[in-house]
Amino acid sequence: MEKRDVVIVGSGPAGHTAALYSSRANLKPLVLEGHEPGGQLTTTTDVENFPGFPEGVQGPDLMDKMKKQAERFGTQYWQKNVVKVDLNKKPFLINCEDGTEIEAKTVIISTGASAKYLGLPNEKELIGKGVSACATCDGFFFRNKIVHVVGGGDTAMEEANFLTRFAEKVTIIHRRGSLRASKPMQQRVFDNPKIDILWNTVVEEILFDDNGVKGIRVKNTETNESTERQTDGFFLGIGHTPNTSFLGDQVQLDENGFIKTENGPDTNIPGVFACGDVQDPFYRQAITAAGSGCMAAMKVEKFLEDEESK
Ligand code: NDP
């Protein structure tokens, strides 16, 4: 069986940075990359707020650079998905989807968060047939088409703006009368002539035929009036859920499912640390995720030193 001092689960900015620091500390980390290597930044385009890139950087490029930097110091990356962990055992036991088992003295959880869906009938079945939670991945397919984006936060604004590169018309549907998004992102939307906003509106149904999405039924929450709107694409931009299902109930979570951390990356289990979006309902930035990855790696180093000196 594979035995490691530190296994890092997840490969976004938090995981890569934890890998960089722990490999430079000679801990020979193993990163289990998961189903979406690079995490959410691989589904974004211009990252303009990561320091050190005055002209901005493409999300996938940034992740690629971080990975190469960690590999340079001996990090190993395995494209495997973790399905279960046993954190009551020492060393901890990690089970991957393909049956691989790994023993680890310490674990860093950096599994991030995944896009939320509304829970409408057929929503998930229509992914790839007009429904998407990733404008960067799928925007290209909506050249000169009509698309709708749900949500009032930065994700929805970013998606809507990005989609105007391809689509003829983009409509944002928001359940309230004011946006949650940051002021600059809101302004970009207001200034974009291809975007309009349906306020106080919820989506009731996705309309489709054999070729995929053809419309949506929406309801104005002030008038209770339902109307049908033609659309070729339906994009979700309503936030994200932390990826913790593989943990069972071993690690303490908060009421929204984020891992509870203290003193930086400490979880309720000594030797298990969490960093990045999986434990951060507030900042959720690449730079804060990277910073917390650094903290997790430094805590691992200290933990292993303390264990050795016992
Ligand atoms: P947010 O939680 O900020 O926003 C989610 C939006 O979706 C809200 O407007 C919310 O409405 C709406 N919503 C949630 N659930 C539903 C539902 N069931 N039905 C209808 N609407 C719903 O999530 P984001 O993903 O937008 O942003 C998360 C964090 O990531 C933020 O800190 C943001 O700043 C950051 N971010 C930064 C980016 C950048 O800088 N480039 C890009 C993307 C995100 P309501 O307002 O009524 O609650």
Side-chain angles (χ1 to χ4, degrees), residues 10-302:
S11 56
H16 286 320
T17 308
L20 172 63
Y21 272 75
S22 48
S23 56
R24 291 192 77 250
N26 226 3
L27 295 175
K28 300 187 175 52
L30 172 63
V31 179
L32 301 170
E33 290 187 288
H35 279 314
E36 197 179 90
Q40 288 178 65
L41 274 191
T42 57
T43 63
T44 194
T45 45
D46 293 332
V47 179
E48 293 175 336
N49 51 13
F50 200 89
F53 297 89
E55 310 301 331
V57 59
Q58 297 288 303
D61 287 351
L62 181 61
M63 289 305 89
D64 198 41
K65 284 191 164 83
M66 284 192 187
K67 179 175 174 176
K68 288 203 172 96
Q69 194 173 353
E71 280 177 327
R72 190 180 139 208
F73 297 102
T75 302
Q76 254 190 315
Y77 283 84
W78 287 2
Q79 208 176 341
K80 289 183 192 290
N81 194 44
V82 176
V83 286
K84 213 173 89 193
V85 286
D86 188 346
L87 305 175
N88 296 312
K89 274 190 172 163
K90 283 283 179 91
F92 305 123
L93 185 65
I94 297 168
N95 295 89
C96 300
E97 205 167 30
D98 66 358
T100 308
E101 289 191 323
I102 304 156
E103 276 185 359
K105 287 187 192 161
T106 62
V107 176
I108 294 178
I109 304 165
S110 51
T111 41
S114 296
K116 277 188 196 163
Y117 286 80
L118 286 172
L120 295 168
N122 300 302
E123 192 180 25
K124 291 267 173 88
E125 288 80 354
L126 288 165
I127 292 173
K129 292 180 179 168
V131 171
S132 170
C134 176
T136 327
C137 319
D138 301 323
F140 181 79
F141 303 113
F142 296 90
R143 197 172 287 281
N144 301 324
K145 301 268 168 89
I146 294 171
V147 300
H148 286 69
V149 178
V150 193
D154 281 340
T155 297
M157 300 309 110
E158 196 175 61
E159 291 205 337
N161 264 317
F162 181 76
L163 286 166
T164 59
R165 295 189 195 183
F166 309 99
E168 182 186 305
K169 184 83 209 155
V170 177
T171 303
I172 293 171
I173 302 169
H174 185 38
R175 63 182 176 184
R176 293 188 297 125
S178 64
L179 297 171
R180 179 183 295 279
S182 59
K183 289 283 178 276
M185 297 285 263
Q186 291 193 22
Q187 201 53 51
R188 248 181 251 181
V189 160
F190 296 147
D191 292 344
N192 191 324
K194 279 185 161 182
I195 302 178
D196 61 14
I197 304 180
L198 279 184
W199 302 101
N200 303 306
T201 301
V202 293
V203 182
E204 293 184 311
E205 191 183 348
I206 307 173
L207 310 169
F208 60 97
D209 60 17
D210 288 347
N211 297 320
V213 173
K214 65 183 181 64
I216 47 174
R217 191 157 47 79
V218 297
K219 186 173 84 175
N220 182 302
T221 55
E222 294 193 315
T223 62
N224 269 338
E225 192 192 342
S226 288
T227 44
E228 286 188 5
R229 298 178 64 89
Q230 191 233 318
T231 196
D232 303 297
F234 181 63
F235 284 80
L236 284 304
I238 59 168
H240 297 84
T241 310
N243 296 318
T244 56
S245 57
F246 69 101
L247 296 169
D249 55 6
Q250 299 169 87
V251 175
Q252 274 177 14
L253 309 178
D254 72 10
E255 62 282 6
N256 295 315
F258 291 87
I259 295 178
K260 270 193 190 168
T261 47
E262 271 181 4
N263 307 317
D266 297 1
T267 70
N268 58 307
I269 302 175
V272 178
F273 303 92
C275 51
D277 284 12
V278 73
Q279 52 85 57
D280 171 16
F282 184 70
Y283 298 104
R284 293 139 121 188
Q285 300 300 300
I287 187 67
T288 50
S292 70
C294 158
M295 289 155 80
M298 291 176 77
K299 279 285 178 85
V300 157
E301 213 183 323
K302 173 88 173 50

